[in-house]
Amino acid sequence: MAQITTYQSGIAQASAHRTINRVVTDYLLRYGLSSMQWFILGFIYDAGETGIRMSDLMRKVHTTLPYITNTVALLESKGMINKIGHEGDSRIKLVRVDAAYISTVEEIEEGLREHLRTTLYHEDGISRAELQNYITVLYKIVNNNN
């Protein structure tokens, strides 16, 4: 392959992002979630029983506190998460996945992984190693710019 131009790689990156986002969005619709709601729910799930502070969640997702506040309120209204008090400081509120919704989060993760495998990776002939390389490069780009 000849040297790829910046505009060609830019188009490829944007197109790949849109394609992946479309596949993820289509799958998450059956659970009434947007991609960003799923990402936020996932980080809350990762925090476990102890929960996560909204300010920490904001940093993990790289967004604003008002956006996190609104999204948390929406997820809470759907019964997916709940707020709990911090043991050491009553001013701090933590969020965690509602116990009744934990199995649904696990179901979504497993189902979405399989959906991505079948609709993108398998059909497009992307190997596990190629996908791992792609994800590794994405993490390097993100980590180098934070």
Side-chain angles (χ1 to χ4, degrees):
M1 173 190 262
Q3 183 174 352
I4 188 166
T5 64
T6 56
Y7 55 85
Q8 289 169 329
S9 69
I11 293 294
Q13 290 171 47
S15 182
H17 172 75
R18 283 191 306 274
T19 300
I20 293 168
N21 196 44
R22 178 185 38 80
V23 170
V24 169
T25 298
D26 289 348
Y27 183 82
L28 292 174
L29 281 176
R30 58 184 88 165
Y31 293 94
L33 292 167
S34 70
S35 295
M36 277 303 288
Q37 290 167 356
W38 170 239
F39 304 153
I40 291 168
L41 184 60
F43 278 114
I44 295 170
Y45 173 83
D46 287 347
E49 183 71 22
T50 57
I52 185 171
R53 291 175 6 166
M54 299 217 324
S55 58
D56 293 335
L57 189 56
M58 173 193 74
R59 283 188 280 285
K60 284 192 175 285
V61 183
H62 304 279
T63 191
T64 65
L65 191 55
Y67 185 83
I68 292 294
T69 301
N70 290 336
T71 304
V72 163
L74 177 64
L75 295 173
E76 188 176 30
S77 74
K78 292 181 176 187
M80 298 174 178
I81 64 171
N82 51 54
K83 291 180 191 164
I84 56 174
H86 186 275
E87 288 182 19
D89 188 340
S90 61
R91 297 170 296 172
I92 297 174
K93 295 294 180 208
L94 303 169
V95 289
R96 67 177 175 197
V97 174
D98 187 274
Y101 203 74
I102 290 173
S103 63
T104 304
V105 171
E106 294 166 352
E107 173 186 310
I108 294 169
E109 174 63 20
E110 184 59 35
L112 184 53
R113 280 177 178 261
E114 186 57 33
H115 185 65
L116 286 166
R117 277 188 203 109
T118 58
T119 57
L120 287 179
Y121 314 137
H122 177 70
E123 290 176 8
D124 292 336
I126 299 171
S127 72
R128 188 175 290 257
E130 289 171 322
L131 180 59
Q132 187 59 51
N133 286 338
Y134 174 71
I135 293 169
T136 299
V137 169
L138 289 177
Y139 273 107
K140 284 182 178 183
I141 290 169
V142 169
N143 290 334
N144 287 341
N145 289 296
N146 286 330

